[in-house]
Amino acid sequence: MKANITQHTQHFNALHDRSLASWFHSAGAAMPEECAVLGSAIRCILLSGDNLTNKEIILQLIHALEVTTDHAAAEVIRNTLEIVVGFTRDDI
């Protein structure tokens, strides 16, 4: 599992929101599933060529929620989404 967290750490380093990246760096060991979900979302965004913003991450996580049929996976995605939204500033 530690190698998995290390892999996602590279994705977190790409985040422009340093407070979100820092939170996942420090909480990663306690929340490996959420780290994996966020890492996957970041990877999908980067591979698609979109800008890596909290808005894009939120949209990616919402899409993942819409397509999953696994209740446990949906809970992890929802928790990850709540964390990202909590670190996202409102538009000014």
Side-chain angles (χ1 to χ4, degrees):
M1 188 63 74
K2 187 168 182 150
N4 197 16
I5 292 171
T6 303
Q7 175 187 6
H8 296 300
T9 298
Q10 295 170 0
H11 293 117
F12 302 153
N13 289 337
L15 288 169
H16 297 289
D17 186 335
R18 299 315 310 157
S19 59
L20 179 61
S22 177
W23 192 92
F24 270 95
H25 279 296
S26 63
M31 304 184 83
E33 293 173 322
E34 287 80 357
C35 284
V37 167
L38 181 61
S40 294
I42 292 170
R43 187 172 51 256
C44 287
I45 293 166
L46 292 174
L47 288 174
S48 70
D50 291 331
N51 289 326
L52 185 58
T53 63
N54 284 15
K55 179 182 177 181
E56 287 299 324
I57 294 169
I58 290 168
L59 291 172
Q60 183 69 33
L61 293 172
I62 289 171
H63 174 72
L65 266 176
E66 291 174 341
V67 299
T68 190
T69 57
D70 182 336
H71 180 69
E75 286 300 315
V76 173
I77 296 166
R78 192 172 293 112
N79 191 35
T80 307
L81 180 58
E82 288 176 9
I83 295 166
V84 174
V85 168
F87 279 92
T88 303
R89 293 178 167 187
D90 292 335
D91 289 339
I92 297 174

